[in-house]
Amino acid sequence: MSENTITFEIDGVEVQGTAGQTIMQAADVAGIYIPRLCAFDGLEPFGSCRVCTVKVNGRFQSACTQPIAEGIIVENDSEELLELRRNLVDMLFVEGNHFCMFCEKSGNCELQALAYRLGIAAPKYPYMFPADRNVDATHKDVFIDHNRCILCARCVRASRDLDGKNVFQFVGRGPQKRIAVNSRARLVDTDLNVTDKAVEVCPVGAILTKHVGYSIPVGKRKYDHTPIGADIEANKK
Amino acid sequence: MSENLESVVKTICEGFSNEKSRMMDIVREVQENFGGVSDDAMDLIAKQVQTPRVEVESVVSFYAFLSKEQHGNVVISLCDDIIDRMFGFERIKGVFNEALGIDVGETTEDGSITLETAPCIGMCDQAPAVMVNNEIFTEVSGDTVTEIVEQLRDGVAPERLRRRLGDGNNSNPLVSAAVSNNIRKEDEVIFAPLTCGNALKKAIAMSPNEVIRDIKTARLRGRGGAGFPTGMKWDFTRGAQGEKKFVICNADEGEPGTFKDRVILTERPQLLIEGMVIAGYAIGAEEGIIYLRGEYNYLRPYLEDTLQKARNSNMLGTNVMGKEGFNFDIRIQMGAGAYVCGEETALISSCEGLRGDPKNRPPFPAQKGYLGYPTSVNNVETFCCVARILDQGAGWFSQIGSKGSTGTKLLSISGDCRRPGVYEVPFGIKMTEVLEMAGGEGAAAVQVGGPSGQMIGPDDFERTICYDDLATGGALMIFGPKRDLLEVVEYFMEFFIEESCGYCTPCRVGNVLLKQRLQKIMEGKGEPSDLAYLEDLGNSVKSTSRCGLGQTSANPILSTLKNFRPLYEALVKEDQPFQPTFDIQKALGVAKGIAGRSSMHFAE
């Protein structure tokens, strides 16, 4: 065991990580799944969706941004936290217009998969049905549907840090906050390419590629038979 | 694209060395020059400072004072906070609407005057208040409105509009504002006579660690509201690794009902500057920033002049007061209308020329703050306390107030009372004593600490103001027995929705849902289960939000559910568990409009 090893506890289980890791990173290695939406392997932690909220020594923290420390007691799989996460996922559903039944992302969508994993059959909050969210279909290969955007900033970070382009950024604030593109208005006027990581990392159906539809039929998609997080739980020794 | 725009934008950017981190100053100047930051202007700025265009739009679209749309040369902002609403906001808005022939959010046909509203501009003790560009008008009557509009129509520039000048430095030619200080009670820390330079002389005769030790001995805690021990914050910042360090003064006082920093900035800026220099010496910083809220732009010339005088007397500059190797200077960073920037990491983002989004912590500003350097952010009043502690001694200071809360506190008192204004009181004072001083006896409720604080009723008036009981940044709004407290709560929720940065889910979405359900109850459509819904949702927002704004935004609802529950219970109908909330006519409205007829099945 190197001197960089840090030992701490998640739900009573002893976990070892290395200095500099976040709680989420260490938990992933240990095969403990902490639900998440904005966090994505290889992208800088963002901490906006709050779905990974855990309790660290009794205090609420986001697991994707909180570094591990020797001896901390982390609560993850408690009814209190599960309820908070259901509420957050609920909020994301009612905030936008998410029509799973005709969304190309259905079955591969992390928001949908997380709702199923958390046992949400229907949101308990009233739908907002926003009417001011548009679709940008100007690009020849990619379109953005703001109705389905959950403002996780994966595209912002991937474009900036992986593609080296800065195609996306947020504009507005509060409930009017939106993803915008690096041109006066249209996606086609940016240097986005269909092969960009920024396109691939969208957890929902907000950024989708054109010319492909249902090449994998519903029923055979990523989360149709295995719940989200199962890949992480497979790491468990 | 006009050549004029191109050359002016270029000059403005060059004035800030084409430095991306000065984006706030750049876009503010462009806005001032052209009444907006147009698409063309954003393209030019992006090109000039070599940043993606969307980054510029990201900043412009964040701040209330900045706009892509062209505003008139004159922008009239009506202060729309709860106190102004109680003291005639609607009335003067009506007079403006009529006199200008436009509604809020519109510009006159000739393009000259824009009418807007702004959340609390820090004048609650003299409401209703109005800003005309940078000029402030307080206790505005219908006649004043008519006069303002007439003069503006005659082409009088906003700064030349006729008005009386306020007391103290408000009459200083560099301020010349129609603002009153309303200092009702002076005590020995903030409002004692000035003794410029004494504190700093004593500080530089000691080692930086000894200065920090004194601040710890005085048990000084932050005056902005959170109450973090100042000495500890400085210790962390001093101990952190970094080529450079920064001292930032949070003068973004945006909590509705707070205006005490405005009075300090008007009457005691020398004390503030001295405190900042001492902080610089203690933590090892050479640069300080005063982040001044956009609403206090009228104080800027006076503050710049005070800084210049401090430079002239070597309280700022190189080898400060003859201390070899200690250099320190201060610049003012103007905000542009964003309450969230009062949160220290959002304030740092704003100073860096970014959207005012709070940052992830850790790292804390003491480790990695402004531009990634260790930074200490402290409140205006805290710096003033620092200067007095160094001058008069930590022992002297710690004798004032109560054990866990040493020193005095400035209170900003407004609402239903006979003597609204600023009071300097020792910590540990009872609410009953405060109400008596302010002439607010018979209050039905007091909002302690602004919307993010709590609303208390007479049962709690024997409690004391200190960090361990009624903790507050100093705002006390008094509500008499005739006020509808749920309307107050509704306003506070509107405020938080408007001011949320939108970064995290619970604050962006949860507050909207909270307000919707509150309104349902207020309309008499509430069900018994709605109270539990509000509590559950409120606690979710509180527990999972990313920064202090979201963590406190549900407080108006949660604290009134706790302290004023009968108000809610009277509105929810126990005997009718199912309340119709769906309005079929409203839902059919759009369809009826398109069809041009009403529904055959759902007659009105």
Side-chain angles (χ1 to χ4, degrees):
Chain A
M1 200 185 298
S2 88
E3 57 184 272
N4 278 336
T5 303
I6 287 174
T7 308
F8 67 105
E9 216 176 78
I10 302 179
D11 294 331
V13 177
E14 191 181 286
V15 174
Q16 284 179 340
T18 44
Q21 273 182 326
T22 60
I23 292 172
M24 185 181 282
Q25 286 166 337
D28 282 358
V29 176
I32 297 169
Y33 173 63
I34 301 174
R36 74 208 58 181
L37 283 169
C38 67
F40 188 82
D41 245 351
L43 293 179
E44 196 183 302
F46 194 64
S48 70
C49 73
R50 312 312 283 172
V51 170
C52 72
T53 298
V54 291
K55 268 185 158 176
V56 181
N57 294 340
R59 292 185 59 170
F60 293 106
Q61 302 282 5
S62 52
C64 69
T65 59
Q66 189 65 21
I68 55 172
E70 190 65 35
I72 54 170
I73 310 284
V74 179
E75 249 180 76
N76 171 44
D77 201 15
S78 68
E79 192 38 52
E80 180 193 17
L81 290 165
L82 289 175
E83 185 60 17
L84 288 174
R85 290 170 189 160
R86 276 184 214 113
N87 292 352
L88 291 165
V89 171
D90 252 24
M91 287 182 206
L92 290 170
F93 267 106
V94 302
E95 183 193 22
N97 296 311
H98 297 276
F99 297 103
C100 300
M101 65 297 274
F102 54 77
C103 177
E104 201 326 286
K105 196 80 173 194
S106 187
N108 292 325
C109 171
E110 294 179 39
L111 180 69
Q112 182 194 44
L114 198 53
Y116 282 133
R117 179 165 175 139
L118 293 170
I120 299 172
K124 66 179 178 192
Y125 302 131
Y127 285 107
M128 294 182 181
F129 296 127
D132 57 348
R133 299 203 175 191
N134 57 10
V135 176
D136 180 346
T138 55
H139 193 281
K140 70 178 174 37
D141 298 320
V142 179
F143 71 88
I144 308 175
D145 184 348
H146 291 277
N147 289 289
R148 313 177 207 177
C149 177
I150 58 167
L151 305 169
C152 68
R154 281 193 192 177
C155 58
V156 177
R157 289 172 282 160
S159 182
R160 181 191 63 204
D161 301 333
L162 305 180
D163 303 328
K165 285 187 181 178
N166 293 300
V167 172
F168 301 100
Q169 186 48 277
F170 289 113
V171 295
R173 76 176 187 205
Q176 280 74 47
K177 185 173 177 170
R178 296 285 179 273
I179 278 289
V181 297
N182 190 29
S183 71
R184 286 200 177 186
R186 306 183 312 166
L187 187 59
V188 68
D189 299 325
T190 69
D191 53 355
L192 182 83
N193 194 296
V194 67
T195 54
D196 283 0
K197 283 281 181 210
V199 176
E200 190 187 313
V201 295
C202 182
V204 289
I207 301 179
L208 286 173
T209 51
K210 293 183 175 176
H211 322 300
V212 195
Y214 300 95
S215 59
I216 300 170
V218 169
K220 292 194 171 170
R221 296 181 163 205
K222 194 170 176 193
Y223 303 119
D224 283 343
H225 300 286
T226 344
I228 189 166
D231 50 339
I232 288 167
E233 285 165 323
N235 294 338
K236 197 155 197 163
K237 286 171 199 93
Chain B
M1 193 179 299
S2 83
E3 272 175 44
N4 179 42
L5 179 72
E6 200 166 346
S7 70
V8 174
V9 167
K10 190 161 180 274
T11 313
I12 290 171
C13 293
E14 281 168 353
F16 295 101
S17 317
N18 294 323
E19 188 55 62
K20 210 171 102 183
S21 68
R22 300 302 296 274
M23 187 61 79
M24 279 290 279
D25 303 279
I26 294 170
V27 288
R28 273 190 64 102
E29 278 201 24
V30 172
Q31 173 88 31
E32 265 173 43
N33 274 272
F34 298 98
V37 188
S38 61
D39 274 320
D40 285 346
M42 286 195 262
D43 285 342
L44 290 167
I45 295 169
K47 195 174 135 213
Q48 191 66 29
V49 305
Q50 296 188 353
T51 193
R53 181 202 191 275
V54 72
E55 297 284 345
V56 183
E57 185 163 359
S58 172
V59 174
V60 172
S61 61
F62 189 87
Y63 296 93
F65 285 14
L66 304 170
S67 63
K68 199 163 150 179
E69 297 73 35
Q70 175 91 25
H71 280 172
N73 285 334
V74 176
V75 177
I76 300 174
S77 296
L78 313 179
C79 177
D80 179 18
D81 69 29
I82 190 65
I83 304 292
D84 289 70
R85 286 187 188 185
M86 282 160 47
F87 291 91
F89 166 79
E90 280 299 331
R91 193 182 68 242
I92 63 161
K93 186 177 124 205
V95 184
F96 269 115
N97 289 154
E98 194 155 321
L100 293 168
I102 52 170
D103 208 346
V104 167
E106 295 177 348
T107 301
T108 51
E109 238 167 65
D110 63 355
S112 65
I113 303 173
T114 302
L115 188 63
E116 285 187 341
T117 57
C120 188
I121 63 167
M123 305 286 161
C124 282
D125 57 338
Q126 41 208 303
V130 169
M131 269 194 309
V132 181
N133 288 359
N134 291 324
E135 308 304 314
I136 311 271
F137 293 82
T138 64
E139 292 172 346
V140 173
S141 65
D143 291 346
T144 328
V145 174
T146 316
E147 205 181 316
I148 290 173
V149 174
E150 268 173 21
Q151 292 184 67
L152 288 172
R153 291 265 196 229
D154 288 345
V156 178
E159 59 275 19
R160 300 199 174 278
L161 291 171
R162 269 194 312 278
R163 64 204 184 285
R164 58 173 175 81
L165 294 183
D167 55 340
N169 283 330
N170 290 300
S171 300
N172 182 305
L174 290 169
V175 183
S176 56
V179 175
S180 303
N181 286 326
N182 287 334
I183 302 172
R184 306 281 181 175
K185 189 173 179 301
E186 299 180 344
D187 211 320
E188 49 190 331
V189 179
I190 306 297
F191 291 128
L194 273 177
T195 47
C196 273
N198 281 1
L200 182 54
K201 263 182 230 153
K202 288 181 188 170
I204 55 179
M206 297 193 255
S207 74
N209 280 322
E210 284 168 340
V211 173
I212 295 178
R213 187 204 59 202
D214 268 13
I215 298 301
K216 284 183 175 172
T217 311
R219 301 197 301 279
L220 175 64
R221 293 170 68 173
R223 284 346 193 202
F228 194 81
T230 307
M232 209 190 278
K233 197 182 247 186
W234 287 9
D235 224 1
F236 292 150
T237 317
R238 174 163 186 81
Q241 292 290 323
E243 272 171 61
K244 284 199 260 188
K245 287 173 188 174
F246 289 88
V247 173
I248 299 184
C249 169
N250 184 344
D252 191 47
E253 114 175 309
E255 189 75 42
T258 317
F259 42 84
K260 50 109 186 161
D261 289 343
R262 174 204 4 114
V263 176
I264 294 180
L265 293 163
T266 310
E267 296 301 325
R268 291 288 181 276
Q270 300 83 357
L271 198 61
L272 159 67
I273 293 168
E274 198 167 348
M276 286 183 73
V277 182
I278 293 168
Y281 178 70
I283 68 169
E286 296 202 340
E287 286 171 67
I289 299 172
I290 297 175
Y291 187 88
L292 185 64
R293 71 181 304 210
E295 291 81 350
Y296 294 167
N297 203 22
Y298 75 98
L299 287 167
R300 189 179 178 172
Y302 176 62
L303 293 173
E304 292 285 10
D305 182 66
T306 311
L307 287 172
Q308 192 50 49
K309 284 186 175 133
R311 281 179 204 114
N312 297 345
S313 62
N314 196 221
M315 271 180 65
L316 291 173
T318 47
N319 301 327
V320 171
M321 307 282 267
K323 181 78 178 179
E324 201 63 36
F326 173 46
N327 311 320
F328 193 78
D329 211 328
I330 296 173
R331 78 168 169 95
I332 296 175
Q333 173 69 58
M334 290 309 300
Y339 165 76
V340 69
C341 290
E343 198 278 344
E344 62 174 2
T345 60
L347 185 147
I348 289 171
S349 297
S350 189
C351 285
E352 291 169 340
L354 304 168
R355 298 165 58 81
D357 287 337
K359 295 176 190 282
N360 284 318
R361 280 156 302 184
F364 291 90
Q367 305 159 278
K368 270 182 92 175
Y370 178 63
L371 301 175
Y373 298 107
T375 304
S376 179
V377 183
N378 301 95
N379 180 264
V380 172
E381 191 181 343
T382 311
F383 283 118
C384 293
C385 292
V386 162
R388 293 294 191 198
I389 289 167
L390 266 295
D391 186 26
Q392 309 250 50
W396 164 81
F397 187 85
S398 64
Q399 295 302 311
I400 309 169
S402 65
K403 193 160 184 297
S405 313
T406 55
T408 62
K409 184 76 197 77
L410 292 195
L411 303 178
S412 314
I413 302 184
S414 62
D416 293 320
C417 60
R418 295 189 300 281
R419 292 177 290 278
V422 174
Y423 292 74
E424 183 177 7
V425 297
F427 269 116
I429 192 168
K430 275 190 190 167
M431 188 56 79
T432 42
E433 293 173 69
V434 173
L435 288 173
E436 205 174 300
M437 273 189 322
E441 307 92 338
V446 178
Q447 182 72 27
V448 183
S452 70
Q454 50 179 326
M455 191 186 275
I456 60 168
D459 288 351
D460 286 317
F461 288 174
E462 285 301 311
R463 292 172 64 185
T464 56
I465 293 176
C466 63
Y467 292 106
D468 311 312
D469 192 3
L470 293 172
T472 171
L476 299 183
M477 296 156 134
I478 301 173
F479 301 105
K482 289 191 182 146
R483 302 293 177 190
D484 181 346
L485 298 179
L486 292 186
E487 254 176 40
V488 176
V489 173
E490 186 192 16
Y491 165 78
F492 289 161
M493 293 316 296
E494 261 171 43
F495 171 78
F496 284 125
I497 292 167
E498 178 68 31
E499 295 298 330
S500 163
C501 75
Y503 193 107
C504 73
T505 312
C507 179
R508 185 181 70 240
V509 187
N511 287 322
V512 176
L513 296 170
L514 281 169
K515 189 186 132 202
Q516 274 178 2
R517 193 55 56 103
L518 173 71
Q519 284 172 329
K520 179 189 162 202
I521 295 171
M522 289 171 74
E523 285 164 15
K525 292 178 179 164
E527 298 159 38
S529 62
D530 285 335
L531 304 192
Y533 172 99
L534 285 178
E535 266 161 343
D536 177 66
L537 176 56
N539 283 320
S540 297
V541 173
K542 191 182 178 111
S543 306
T544 59
S545 283
R546 184 164 166 267
C547 83
L549 192 156
Q551 286 158 10
T552 56
S553 61
N555 283 355
I557 286 180
L558 294 175
S559 83
T560 47
L561 273 172
K562 184 165 161 268
N563 298 332
F564 296 89
R565 201 170 184 94
L567 289 180
Y568 291 88
E569 284 168 346
L571 289 170
V572 299
K573 303 207 171 59
E574 290 288 344
D575 53 338
Q576 266 180 285
F578 295 103
Q579 280 286 317
T581 52
F582 181 67
D583 183 346
I584 184 71
Q585 296 303 339
K586 199 175 152 201
L588 288 171
V590 178
K592 283 196 290 192
I594 295 169
R597 61 176 174 82
S598 48
S599 162
M600 297 195 314
H601 304 286
F602 299 99
E604 277 170 66

Short mmCIF file of all heavy atoms in Angstrom, two decimals, chain B residues 35 43 49 84 114 116 118 151 158 189 195 212 228 253 275 346 353 410-411 423 446 451 494 523 558 593:
data_model
loop_
_atom_site.label_atom_id
_atom_site.label_comp_id
_atom_site.label_asym_id
_atom_site.label_seq_id
_atom_site.Cartn_x
_atom_site.Cartn_y
_atom_site.Cartn_z
N GLY B 35 -25.68 51.89 -25.44
CA GLY B 35 -27.00 51.53 -24.94
C GLY B 35 -27.30 50.05 -25.08
O GLY B 35 -28.43 49.62 -24.90
N ASP B 43 -19.20 40.42 -31.65
CA ASP B 43 -18.23 39.89 -32.61
C ASP B 43 -16.90 40.63 -32.50
O ASP B 43 -15.83 40.02 -32.49
CB ASP B 43 -18.76 40.06 -34.05
CG ASP B 43 -19.86 39.06 -34.39
OD1 ASP B 43 -19.96 38.04 -33.67
OD2 ASP B 43 -20.61 39.30 -35.36
N VAL B 49 -10.28 40.63 -28.11
CA VAL B 49 -9.63 40.00 -26.95
C VAL B 49 -9.32 38.52 -27.21
O VAL B 49 -8.86 37.83 -26.31
CB VAL B 49 -10.45 40.15 -25.64
CG1 VAL B 49 -10.78 41.58 -25.35
CG2 VAL B 49 -11.71 39.31 -25.69
N ASP B 84 -40.38 48.65 -1.22
CA ASP B 84 -40.87 49.64 -2.19
C ASP B 84 -42.32 49.34 -2.59
O ASP B 84 -43.10 50.26 -2.81
CB ASP B 84 -39.97 49.66 -3.43
CG ASP B 84 -38.61 50.28 -3.13
OD1 ASP B 84 -37.83 49.64 -2.41
OD2 ASP B 84 -38.36 51.41 -3.58
N THR B 114 -35.73 54.15 -21.63
CA THR B 114 -36.14 52.77 -21.36
C THR B 114 -36.61 52.69 -19.91
O THR B 114 -35.99 53.28 -19.02
CB THR B 114 -34.97 51.80 -21.58
OG1 THR B 114 -34.52 51.93 -22.93
CG2 THR B 114 -35.37 50.36 -21.32
N GLU B 116 -37.43 50.21 -16.72
CA GLU B 116 -37.14 48.86 -16.23
C GLU B 116 -37.45 48.77 -14.74
O GLU B 116 -37.67 49.79 -14.09
CB GLU B 116 -35.64 48.56 -16.37
CG GLU B 116 -35.18 48.29 -17.77
CD GLU B 116 -33.72 47.85 -17.81
OE1 GLU B 116 -33.00 48.10 -16.82
OE2 GLU B 116 -33.34 47.26 -18.82
N ALA B 118 -35.75 47.00 -11.07
CA ALA B 118 -34.54 46.37 -10.55
C ALA B 118 -34.88 45.84 -9.17
O ALA B 118 -35.68 46.45 -8.45
CB ALA B 118 -33.43 47.41 -10.44
N GLN B 151 -38.41 67.00 -17.36
CA GLN B 151 -37.04 67.47 -17.59
C GLN B 151 -36.31 66.60 -18.60
O GLN B 151 -35.59 67.11 -19.46
CB GLN B 151 -36.27 67.48 -16.26
CG GLN B 151 -36.77 68.54 -15.28
CD GLN B 151 -35.90 68.56 -14.03
OE1 GLN B 151 -34.74 68.93 -14.08
NE2 GLN B 151 -36.47 68.16 -12.91
N PRO B 158 -29.49 63.18 -17.23
CA PRO B 158 -29.84 62.61 -15.92
C PRO B 158 -29.06 63.22 -14.76
O PRO B 158 -29.62 63.47 -13.69
CB PRO B 158 -29.53 61.13 -16.07
CG PRO B 158 -29.70 60.86 -17.52
CD PRO B 158 -29.28 62.11 -18.22
N VAL B 189 -17.34 51.34 17.10
CA VAL B 189 -16.48 50.64 16.13
C VAL B 189 -16.54 51.31 14.76
O VAL B 189 -15.54 51.84 14.27
CB VAL B 189 -16.84 49.14 16.04
CG1 VAL B 189 -15.94 48.45 15.01
CG2 VAL B 189 -16.68 48.46 17.39
N THR B 195 -9.57 58.00 12.54
CA THR B 195 -8.19 58.28 12.93
C THR B 195 -7.31 57.68 11.86
O THR B 195 -6.74 56.62 12.05
CB THR B 195 -7.86 57.62 14.28
OG1 THR B 195 -8.34 56.28 14.23
CG2 THR B 195 -8.53 58.34 15.43
N ILE B 212 -2.54 38.82 12.40
CA ILE B 212 -3.57 37.78 12.34
C ILE B 212 -3.92 37.31 13.76
O ILE B 212 -5.10 37.12 14.08
CB ILE B 212 -3.10 36.60 11.46
CG1 ILE B 212 -2.94 37.08 10.00
CG2 ILE B 212 -4.08 35.43 11.53
CD1 ILE B 212 -2.44 36.04 9.03
N PHE B 228 -17.92 33.59 9.24
CA PHE B 228 -16.68 32.81 9.33
C PHE B 228 -15.62 33.63 10.06
O PHE B 228 -15.49 34.83 9.83
CB PHE B 228 -16.20 32.45 7.92
CG PHE B 228 -15.14 31.39 7.91
CD1 PHE B 228 -15.49 30.06 8.02
CD2 PHE B 228 -13.80 31.73 7.83
CE1 PHE B 228 -14.51 29.07 8.03
CE2 PHE B 228 -12.82 30.76 7.83
CZ PHE B 228 -13.16 29.42 7.94
N GLU B 253 -23.38 44.36 -1.74
CA GLU B 253 -24.55 44.20 -0.88
C GLU B 253 -25.85 44.18 -1.69
O GLU B 253 -26.35 45.20 -2.11
CB GLU B 253 -24.49 45.26 0.23
CG GLU B 253 -25.51 46.32 0.27
CD GLU B 253 -25.36 47.22 1.49
OE1 GLU B 253 -25.27 46.69 2.61
OE2 GLU B 253 -25.35 48.45 1.32
N GLY B 275 -8.45 49.01 6.42
CA GLY B 275 -8.64 47.60 6.77
C GLY B 275 -8.14 46.68 5.67
O GLY B 275 -7.53 45.64 5.92
N ALA B 346 -18.74 33.34 -6.66
CA ALA B 346 -19.38 33.97 -7.83
C ALA B 346 -18.79 35.35 -8.04
O ALA B 346 -18.56 35.79 -9.17
CB ALA B 346 -20.89 34.06 -7.62
N GLY B 353 -14.02 38.35 -15.08
CA GLY B 353 -14.62 38.63 -16.38
C GLY B 353 -15.49 37.52 -16.90
O GLY B 353 -15.69 37.38 -18.11
N LEU B 410 -23.80 46.58 12.28
CA LEU B 410 -24.67 47.57 11.66
C LEU B 410 -25.94 46.87 11.22
O LEU B 410 -25.90 45.81 10.59
CB LEU B 410 -24.01 48.19 10.43
CG LEU B 410 -22.79 49.08 10.64
CD1 LEU B 410 -22.50 49.88 9.38
CD2 LEU B 410 -22.96 50.03 11.82
N LEU B 411 -27.06 47.46 11.58
CA LEU B 411 -28.35 46.94 11.15
C LEU B 411 -28.95 47.89 10.12
O LEU B 411 -28.88 49.11 10.29
CB LEU B 411 -29.30 46.81 12.35
CG LEU B 411 -28.83 45.95 13.52
CD1 LEU B 411 -29.85 45.98 14.64
CD2 LEU B 411 -28.56 44.52 13.07
N TYR B 423 -28.34 51.43 12.11
CA TYR B 423 -28.09 51.45 13.55
C TYR B 423 -26.84 50.65 13.84
O TYR B 423 -26.71 49.52 13.39
CB TYR B 423 -29.26 50.80 14.30
CG TYR B 423 -30.56 51.57 14.26
CD1 TYR B 423 -31.32 51.62 13.09
CD2 TYR B 423 -31.02 52.25 15.38
CE1 TYR B 423 -32.51 52.32 13.05
CE2 TYR B 423 -32.22 52.96 15.35
CZ TYR B 423 -32.97 53.00 14.18
OH TYR B 423 -34.14 53.69 14.13
N VAL B 446 -40.78 40.12 11.66
CA VAL B 446 -39.53 40.75 11.24
C VAL B 446 -38.78 39.75 10.36
O VAL B 446 -38.61 38.59 10.74
CB VAL B 446 -38.65 41.16 12.45
CG1 VAL B 446 -37.34 41.77 11.97
CG2 VAL B 446 -39.38 42.13 13.36
N PRO B 451 -34.24 38.06 2.52
CA PRO B 451 -34.95 36.87 2.06
C PRO B 451 -34.24 35.56 2.41
O PRO B 451 -34.89 34.55 2.67
CB PRO B 451 -35.01 37.06 0.55
CG PRO B 451 -34.88 38.52 0.34
CD PRO B 451 -34.07 39.06 1.47
N GLU B 494 -40.00 35.05 -5.90
CA GLU B 494 -39.79 35.66 -7.22
C GLU B 494 -38.37 36.18 -7.34
O GLU B 494 -37.71 36.03 -8.36
CB GLU B 494 -40.70 36.90 -7.36
CG GLU B 494 -41.96 36.71 -8.11
CD GLU B 494 -42.84 37.96 -7.97
OE1 GLU B 494 -42.33 39.10 -8.06
OE2 GLU B 494 -44.05 37.78 -7.73
N GLU B 523 -54.19 31.33 -3.91
CA GLU B 523 -55.43 31.49 -4.69
C GLU B 523 -56.61 30.76 -4.06
O GLU B 523 -57.70 30.74 -4.62
CB GLU B 523 -55.22 30.95 -6.12
CG GLU B 523 -54.38 31.86 -6.99
CD GLU B 523 -53.86 31.13 -8.24
OE1 GLU B 523 -54.36 30.04 -8.56
OE2 GLU B 523 -52.93 31.67 -8.86
N LEU B 558 -39.89 27.90 4.15
CA LEU B 558 -39.66 27.00 5.29
C LEU B 558 -39.81 27.73 6.62
O LEU B 558 -40.38 27.20 7.57
CB LEU B 558 -38.28 26.34 5.18
CG LEU B 558 -38.09 25.39 3.99
CD1 LEU B 558 -36.65 24.90 3.91
CD2 LEU B 558 -39.05 24.20 4.09
N GLY B 593 -58.23 30.82 -29.74
CA GLY B 593 -57.70 31.96 -30.49
C GLY B 593 -57.48 31.59 -31.95
O GLY B 593 -57.83 32.35 -32.87
#
